[in-house]
Amino acid sequence: MENVWQEAQANLKKVLTGQTYTTWIDPLKFLEATSDTIVLEAPSAFVQQWVTEKYLSMVKEAISAVTAKSYQVEFRIAEPKPEPSPQPKEEEVEAAPPKAKEKKAEYVPNLNPKYTFESFVCGASNQFAYAASQAVANKPATNYNPLFIYGGVGLGKTHLVHAIGNQILKKNPKAKICYYSSEKFMNEMINSLRYKKMDEFRNKFRKVDLLLIDDIQFMAGKEATQEEFFHTFNALYDSHKQIVITSDKFPKDIPGLEERLRSRFEWGLIADIQPPDIETKVAILKKKSDMHSVNLPDDVALFLAAGATNNIRELEGMLIRLEAFASLTGNEINLGMAREVMKDIIVEKTKEITVEMIQKQVAEHFRIKLSELKSDKRVKTLVVPRQIAIYICRELTKSSYPEIGEKFGGKDHSTIIHSVKKIEKQLAADSEFRGTVEEIKKKLFT
Ligand code: ADP
Ligand code: MG
C-alpha cells in the first residue's frame, strides 16, 4: 500500500501548486493500511489540522483514483524530534539547586532573559504596576517593600517580576536573586522537611537580595507553608531586602491567607494590572511581531486584538499560529489569511462582515453617497472607492463575484474581477494606498 500513497502523492503534485504540495502533502508519510483505512503520519498537529480542513477530500480522491476504491484517511502525528538544546521556558525555569561543591554557582538566577522592561508594552491597564516595578528595580528595598502585584491570568505579572530581576541583575551581576513560584516554595519546603534539610532551605532564602514570589494565592490554606514564608519574609524585610509578590487577587480577597501575612503584604505597595484595552493589545502584537522580524499589518493586528480574550498569552498564541502559517506557506500575512487561520478560534467573537457594512464604511470614508458608490458613474472620485469596496468585499466576505456584482447595482462578473485585480496591483505598488485600505478595514472591526 505504500506505493499507492506514493502514486497518489504524484497525482496530487500535478494538481496542486508547488508550494502547497511541498508544505502540506509531501511531508505526509505512509504508516499503515487496513481494508478501508489508510493511516498517514503528519509532521505536526498543525499540518494535520490544515490538511484535514483543506485537502482531505483531494487526498481521498487521489487515493481512490489509484485503487479504484474509497478509503478513509487517518492521521497520526510524528513524535517530536528531541531538540538539540532545549531552552528553559518561562515559569518552568527551575532554580539550579545549590551544589555543595561549586560555591560560586550557589545563586544562579533563574530568570527568563526574555522578560524585560524593554519587551513589556506599557499601556493604561498596566501602567501602575509597570511604574512600580521600575521603581523597585531602580531602588530596591527603599520605598516599596514588599511590592505586591495582582491581576488576572495572562496579564503580565510573571513578566514584570522577571523584568525587575533582570534589571537589577544588569546593574549588579552579583546580586542574589531568587524567583520562586509559591508552589515551588512549598514543594521544596516539604522535601526539606522530609530530608531534614530545613536549615539549608531557610539559609538559602535568607541570603538573597531580592526574593520574587509568584502566584502567592497557591499558598492559601497551606498553613505550614505560610508559617515558613512568614519567617522568610520577616528575615528579609528586617535586613532590608526587597520582596516582590504576585497574586491573581488583592490580598484581602485571597481566601485562607493568614492575617499576619495579609497585613504584611499591605505594608508596601499594592499595584494592580487590569485587562488590556484594544490599543495595548495591538501594541503588544506589533512588538512581538517586530521581535520575530515578521511584518504584521495594522488591520491584522486589530483583527486579532478585537477577537482575542484579555489573556495576553492567548493573544501571543494566535500570533504564533499566524506566523507559522505564513512561513509554512511562504506568504506574507494579510487579513484574509488571518481570518482563515483564526476561523475556529475567533469564530463567535468576530462579527460577520457584510457587503452592506463595507459599502457604508467606504462611502463614509470617501464622503460619497451610497447610491454613488453603487452607480456606474465613471468619475475617478467614485471609481476608486467603488473598486476598493469591491476588493474588500471579495477579501472579507464569502460572497461570490456575481453576488458582489448584484449588490453593486447589478455589475457583471468581469467588472468585479477587474476591480479586484486593479486594487491588488495598486496595493502592491503604493504603500500610501495600502494605508488607506487598511484604515477602512480597521474601522470594520471596531
Ligand atoms: P501572568 O503571570 O499574569 O499570568 P505572564 O507574565 O505569564 O502573565 O504573561 C503572559 C504572556 O504575555 C507572556 O508571554 C508575557 O511576555 C506576555 N505579556 C503580558 N503582558 C505583556 C505586555 N504588557 N507586553 C508584552 N508582553 C506581555
Ligand atoms: Mg504568572
Side-chain angles (χ1 to χ4, degrees):
M1 282 302 281
E2 187 162 0
N3 47 1
V4 166
W5 174 237
Q6 278 165 4
E7 235 177 281
Q9 273 185 318
N11 289 339
L12 288 164
K13 193 170 186 172
K14 285 180 215 148
V15 294
L16 294 167
T17 66
Q19 183 74 53
T20 307
Y21 179 81
T22 358
T23 313
W24 307 114
I25 305 298
D26 191 50
L28 303 174
K29 302 268 172 296
F30 175 84
L31 281 183
E32 59 189 31
T34 61
S35 60
D36 59 356
T37 308
I38 288 186
V39 184
L40 301 175
E41 183 184 80
S44 69
F46 187 69
V47 170
Q48 179 206 336
Q49 198 184 341
W50 201 259
V51 172
T52 308
E53 275 172 31
K54 297 273 173 178
Y55 304 112
L56 191 58
S57 56
M58 276 181 113
V59 166
K60 283 185 182 168
E61 268 170 39
I63 292 171
S64 70
V66 180
T67 56
K69 181 176 170 243
S70 69
Y71 278 88
Q72 290 303 315
V73 175
E74 281 176 14
F75 294 98
R76 234 169 269 155
I77 295 160
E79 296 280 322
K81 292 193 189 82
E83 301 247 329
S85 62
Q87 286 285 318
K89 264 174 60 184
E90 32 178 279
E91 286 112 312
E92 286 152 28
V93 185
E94 295 271 306
K99 288 184 194 135
K101 278 173 238 156
E102 300 170 38
K103 278 197 203 79
K104 270 191 217 145
E106 201 172 349
Y107 281 98
V108 180
N110 49 344
L111 295 170
N112 184 335
K114 283 197 260 173
Y115 287 169
T116 60
F117 286 123
E118 290 73 36
S119 65
F120 192 86
V121 173
C122 178
S125 56
N126 55 36
Q127 185 175 302
F128 184 36
Y130 181 81
S133 301
Q134 282 202 317
V136 161
N138 293 332
K139 284 188 172 171
T142 31
N143 294 321
Y144 310 123
N145 203 15
L147 172 63
F148 189 99
I149 301 173
Y150 78 96
V153 178
L155 299 187
K157 302 182 297 294
T158 298
H159 188 136
L160 272 183
V161 293
H162 280 265
I164 296 174
N166 281 319
Q167 175 94 347
I168 291 181
L169 201 65
K170 201 159 82 183
K171 276 198 270 177
N172 175 12
K174 289 203 183 112
K176 291 176 186 155
I177 298 172
C178 195
Y179 166 86
Y180 262 65
S181 69
S182 67
E183 265 176 314
K184 189 156 190 270
F185 183 91
M186 180 175 84
N187 292 339
E188 265 197 36
M189 187 194 88
I190 293 171
N191 269 329
S192 305
L193 279 170
R194 188 153 82 205
Y195 297 111
K196 307 211 168 15
K197 287 188 174 164
M198 268 321 270
D199 285 346
E200 211 175 282
F201 178 78
R202 286 188 180 133
N203 283 336
K204 164 164 135 183
F205 285 101
R206 290 175 197 181
K207 272 192 275 178
V208 304
D209 300 316
L210 170 68
L211 179 62
L212 308 164
I213 294 285
D214 209 358
D215 292 318
I216 194 87
Q217 74 272 8
F218 288 119
M219 276 192 201
K222 316 271 170 31
E223 280 164 31
T225 309
Q226 288 190 35
E227 162 100 29
E228 188 57 38
F229 183 65
F230 177 74
H231 295 302
T232 305
F233 183 102
N234 290 342
L236 288 174
Y237 188 87
D238 291 342
S239 46
H240 305 285
K241 306 295 189 193
Q242 178 73 45
I243 303 155
V244 182
I245 296 160
T246 76
S247 164
D248 66 348
K249 293 185 198 70
F250 192 80
K252 275 203 173 53
D253 300 328
I254 306 174
L257 182 69
E258 282 181 32
E259 186 48 39
R260 54 182 180 171
L261 270 180
R262 189 191 320 262
S263 70
R264 270 166 180 71
F265 296 164
E266 290 168 8
W267 281 354
L269 179 67
I270 301 181
D272 64 325
I273 305 190
Q274 292 297 323
D277 49 36
I278 197 149
E279 288 82 6
T280 309
K281 287 197 238 177
V282 168
I284 290 172
L285 285 167
K286 290 292 236 179
K287 179 145 211 161
K288 305 258 165 182
S289 57
D290 278 355
M291 279 161 41
H292 307 160
S293 312
V294 168
N295 176 38
L296 183 72
D298 284 353
D299 57 345
V300 178
L302 202 87
F303 167 72
L304 297 181
T309 59
N310 288 327
N311 185 330
I312 293 166
R313 194 171 297 122
E314 278 177 33
L315 192 65
E316 286 185 305
M318 288 164 118
L319 179 65
I320 288 166
R321 187 179 156 95
L322 189 57
E323 287 174 352
F325 182 79
S327 116
L328 286 169
T329 57
N331 291 312
E332 294 270 312
I333 293 178
N334 62 42
L335 191 53
M337 174 197 287
R339 282 168 69 86
E340 185 66 35
V341 174
M342 298 301 152
K343 76 172 183 289
D344 299 326
I345 302 172
I346 305 193
V347 122
E348 301 106 51
K349 288 177 222 131
T350 345
K351 51 182 178 186
E352 188 70 44
I353 290 180
T354 62
V355 171
E356 288 75 15
M357 285 160 65
I358 294 167
Q359 289 173 329
K360 185 164 164 284
Q361 199 65 63
V362 173
E364 264 172 34
H365 184 93
F366 291 102
R367 296 166 206 272
I368 56 175
K369 292 199 196 109
L370 253 181
S371 58
E372 289 175 325
L373 184 77
K374 295 187 213 171
S375 72
D376 291 324
K377 283 190 211 149
R378 309 257 346 127
V379 282
K380 199 171 175 214
T381 47
L382 298 180
V383 171
V384 174
R386 189 180 297 137
Q387 289 178 336
I388 290 178
I390 290 173
Y391 169 84
I392 299 178
C393 288
R394 185 59 195 163
E395 189 185 20
L396 299 185
T397 72
K398 292 196 188 77
S399 310
S400 63
Y401 289 124
E403 282 162 354
I404 296 173
E406 191 55 42
K407 292 189 172 166
F408 278 81
K411 297 194 172 38
D412 66 20
H413 173 234
S414 64
T415 310
I416 303 300
I417 294 182
H418 173 75
S419 303
V420 172
K421 291 225 169 103
K422 195 80 192 293
I423 298 298
E424 274 172 355
K425 248 196 209 152
Q426 195 165 349
L427 284 173
D430 179 348
S431 66
E432 198 182 323
F433 185 72
R434 240 181 351 254
T436 307
V437 175
E438 273 180 19
E439 193 58 37
I440 296 169
K441 288 196 280 185
K442 255 161 84 169
K443 289 198 199 122
L444 287 164
F445 292 111
T446 45

